[in-house]
Amino acid sequence: MPETAADDTPTTRPPALLVEGLAYAYPDGHQALFGIDLRVEPGERVAVLGPNGAGKTTLVLHLNGVHTPGAGRVAVAGLPVAKANLREVRRRVGIVFQDPDDQLFMPTVREDVAFGPANFGLRGAELDARVAAALAAVGMAEHADRSPMHLSGGQRRRVALATVLACDPEVLVLDEPSANLEPVARRELAEVLLGLGRTTLMVTHDLPYALQLCPRSVLVDEGVVVADGPTRELLADTALLAAHRLELPFGFRLD
Amino acid sequence: MGAGHAHLLHRPGDTAVHRLPAQVKVVAALAVVLCVVSTPRGEFAAFGLYLLLLACVWALARVPPGWLAKRALIEAPFVVLAVVLPFTAGGPTVGLLGLRLSETGLLAGWNILAKGTLGVLVSLTLSATTSPRDLLVGLQRLRVPALVITIATLMLRYLEVISAEAARMRVARICRGHDPRFLWQAGATARAVGTLFIRSYERGERVHLAMVSRGWTGTMPDAGRAAAPRTWLAGLVPAVGAALVLGTTLWG
């Protein structure tokens, strides 16, 4: 738990993330979510597990108001996700997308990290300090003036994380953070994430990574939450995993 | 701000010319080109003076003339036109090295050659001393529409991403025995271009989503700084020089 969470009295603080009865159908009629319920307390790290096409990414895009729910509601630290609050909601929810090349679009790392906070109104020295802090947090301070094109996959992923950290979000949302990473880069990213101590929602089907980073997991399939509990217990339930097209990699055993 | 790229047209440095805010350089370059273009083609001395003016800027920016000359070759196709004109144009002719050349053709050719070369050299000087990123910041400062700036910024970054993707697709095709030297195999290349277009379009949507998620509302954050009046004055010295040359030619 981060210190900020410990300072406040837990009873008065609203959940970092509250999703109630969320249902959504794409404009083409495809129904992706059928009533999702999820509550994440401040400081928690939760993994969202599920097979491809389970609705994980659709859920993520509701958290910062890119999609508007067909039914149900979403609130971030007590603030309902609605048109009027979109700007603040997007500051509070930082999404790190799966492909860093989609996220990093500016000619230099520094400008990319500055893009978010500048949009949220930071200027001058304050902005520079925020950018420097975010880059230092992911260990990329010395690469600030390079082009994202010339970084390795792991470095790009960490810069993508910094671009979101620079907005100082209440909730960090990561979409498949370990995809396409070599083992060392994967471990380095895990160390960075554990060191941040922020409320984190991690969408993944990398089960060992979920176990390493998130004490709690939520299993989503066919647009509903089918299981919610301690990651270790969930991953030890082979029958449950098999029923939802998930399995631990070869050589892994949890019992 | 160094972009960190090895750019073909940019020559990083830390001279007075490099440090000048991009918006000043853009305006100065535009003004010089306008002066060059409005100079009557017969005023040979004026063109020499323009070149001298540029040479002073190069000396100040420490750009070697050889570096510029190599890149100025881009105008070669236009030079061909300039060389052809004296042979094809009609009117009175003059004898030169045993050839009968059209007088108006010679002048027209010279006109293209001199103004074209000077125009290319001015642009090269601007790009040599200004990184592509700074150029965009400068244009933004000059109130170029936000949409144009956004498109150019994205192009600067994704041109590399997309060309890398195209190269990977090409290697994958070649590995499966594709040999695009033959005309009947052009179909696969054409389809690859189509696929690349769709992929780029989809990537565009994802990039937009990621930008919106970070609070983007339609304008790029302004990374530049306003130039002081004194900086403007200093930066516009070459433009004033060119204007003086033009003024004297037109009066004289």
Side-chain angles (χ1 to χ4, degrees):
Chain A
M1 288 286 260
E3 284 171 302
T4 47
D7 291 343
D8 287 74
T9 40
T11 45
T12 55
R13 241 182 128 181
L17 207 57
L18 186 65
V19 180
E20 283 179 336
L22 178 64
Y24 179 74
Y26 278 95
D28 66 1
H30 169 68
Q31 179 100 21
L33 302 179
F34 291 88
I36 296 252
D37 292 295
L38 180 64
R39 185 188 169 100
V40 178
E41 299 300 335
E44 256 192 311
R45 280 195 307 276
V46 180
V48 177
L49 312 174
N52 286 333
K56 303 189 298 280
T57 303
T58 312
L59 169 64
V60 164
L61 292 178
H62 276 92
L63 301 182
N64 74 345
V66 168
H67 289 333
T68 312
R73 62 185 205 98
V74 180
V76 181
L79 186 72
V81 175
K83 273 256 154 31
N85 305 333
L86 269 193
R87 195 176 138 96
E88 178 58 15
V89 161
R90 285 179 181 160
R91 191 197 62 71
R92 290 187 185 190
V93 178
I95 303 184
V96 183
F97 288 85
Q98 185 172 347
D99 184 352
D101 274 339
D102 293 341
Q103 187 131 15
L104 307 178
F105 69 98
M106 290 292 245
T108 67
V109 166
R110 183 193 306 282
E111 286 171 276
D112 219 306
V113 177
F115 176 76
N119 282 330
F120 295 120
L122 247 59
R123 292 287 178 276
E126 215 182 339
L127 180 62
D128 293 342
R130 188 71 79 77
V131 170
L135 281 173
V138 300
M140 289 294 293
E142 69 270 37
H143 299 290
D145 290 314
R146 294 180 67 190
S147 158
M149 195 66 199
H150 300 155
L151 301 176
S152 73
Q155 289 175 325
R156 256 183 253 187
R157 185 78 52 149
R158 279 185 282 149
V159 171
L161 177 60
T163 65
V164 167
L165 281 180
C167 304
D168 192 21
E170 309 267 335
V171 184
L172 199 56
V173 181
L174 306 152
D175 195 355
E176 296 289 357
S178 61
N180 296 326
L181 288 190
E182 56 180 2
V184 173
R186 199 179 120 94
R187 177 181 53 74
E188 284 170 347
L189 182 67
E191 281 164 4
V192 168
L193 287 173
L194 286 172
L196 293 175
R198 282 181 189 262
T199 313
T200 307
L201 196 71
M202 185 173 107
V203 173
T204 188
H205 37 217
D206 182 345
L207 303 183
Y209 215 51
L211 179 65
Q212 182 183 358
L213 289 174
C214 304
R216 177 182 157 209
S217 284
V218 173
L219 180 54
V220 176
D221 198 9
E222 294 183 339
V224 288
V225 173
V226 291
D228 183 346
T231 306
R232 179 166 280 274
E233 281 174 30
L234 229 73
L235 297 189
D237 190 342
T238 327
L240 175 73
L241 292 187
H244 301 287
R245 288 191 58 75
L246 288 172
E247 59 185 36
L248 286 167
F250 176 77
F252 271 76
R253 274 180 72 89
L254 286 174
D255 45 23
Chain B
M1 201 182 307
H5 294 243
H7 273 293
L8 196 63
L9 295 177
H10 181 48
R11 201 181 139 80
D14 190 29
T15 67
V17 185
H18 282 88
R19 280 193 301 267
L20 215 54
Q23 62 267 34
V24 178
K25 285 189 269 190
V26 170
V27 170
L30 189 69
V32 171
V33 169
L34 284 178
C35 288
V36 168
V37 170
S38 6
T39 308
R41 59 190 181 184
E43 303 291 340
F44 303 109
F47 292 106
L49 286 175
Y50 290 138
L51 190 63
L52 191 70
L53 207 65
L54 272 176
C56 294
V57 177
W58 299 337
L60 211 61
R62 299 209 189 87
V63 184
W67 187 92
L68 287 157
K70 248 186 273 169
R71 283 154 185 82
L73 283 179
I74 192 174
E75 64 155 347
F78 303 95
V79 174
V80 170
L81 186 68
V83 171
V84 166
L85 274 175
F87 295 98
T88 54
T93 55
V94 286
L96 193 73
L97 302 170
L99 292 168
R100 302 298 307 168
L101 298 175
S102 154
E103 209 179 298
T104 47
L106 267 177
L107 269 178
W110 156 255
N111 194 33
I112 295 177
L113 190 65
K115 291 182 180 173
T117 310
L118 283 169
V120 168
L121 288 176
V122 170
S123 322
L124 281 176
T125 311
L126 176 63
S127 69
T129 56
T130 321
S131 76
R133 176 64 197 136
D134 287 345
L135 214 51
L136 284 179
V137 172
L139 290 176
Q140 195 175 13
R141 282 265 146 199
L142 291 171
R143 305 249 183 283
V144 170
L147 191 63
V148 176
I149 295 293
T150 309
I151 291 173
T153 309
L154 292 175
M155 205 177 75
L156 201 60
R157 159 91 172 105
Y158 286 103
L159 215 56
E160 284 180 83
V161 173
I162 292 170
S163 54
E165 202 161 325
R168 282 199 302 275
M169 285 166 70
R170 192 182 137 270
V171 168
R173 276 202 316 281
I174 289 172
C175 288
R176 286 184 288 156
H178 183 242
D179 187 351
R181 273 178 306 179
F182 300 107
L183 191 61
W184 59 86
Q185 289 188 322
T189 309
R191 271 190 290 275
V193 171
T195 310
L196 196 62
F197 176 77
I198 302 285
R199 281 199 197 174
S200 306
Y201 180 81
E202 286 172 344
R203 184 185 289 281
E205 296 221 309
R206 294 199 303 272
V207 171
H208 178 247
L209 215 59
M211 287 168 76
V212 166
S213 294
R214 282 197 279 159
W216 187 66
T217 48
T219 44
M220 301 302 268
D222 186 352
R225 56 198 149 80
R230 197 186 299 157
T231 321
W232 273 104
L233 278 181
L236 289 177
V237 163
V240 171
L244 282 178
V245 171
L246 177 66
T248 7
T249 352
L250 290 183
W251 279 103

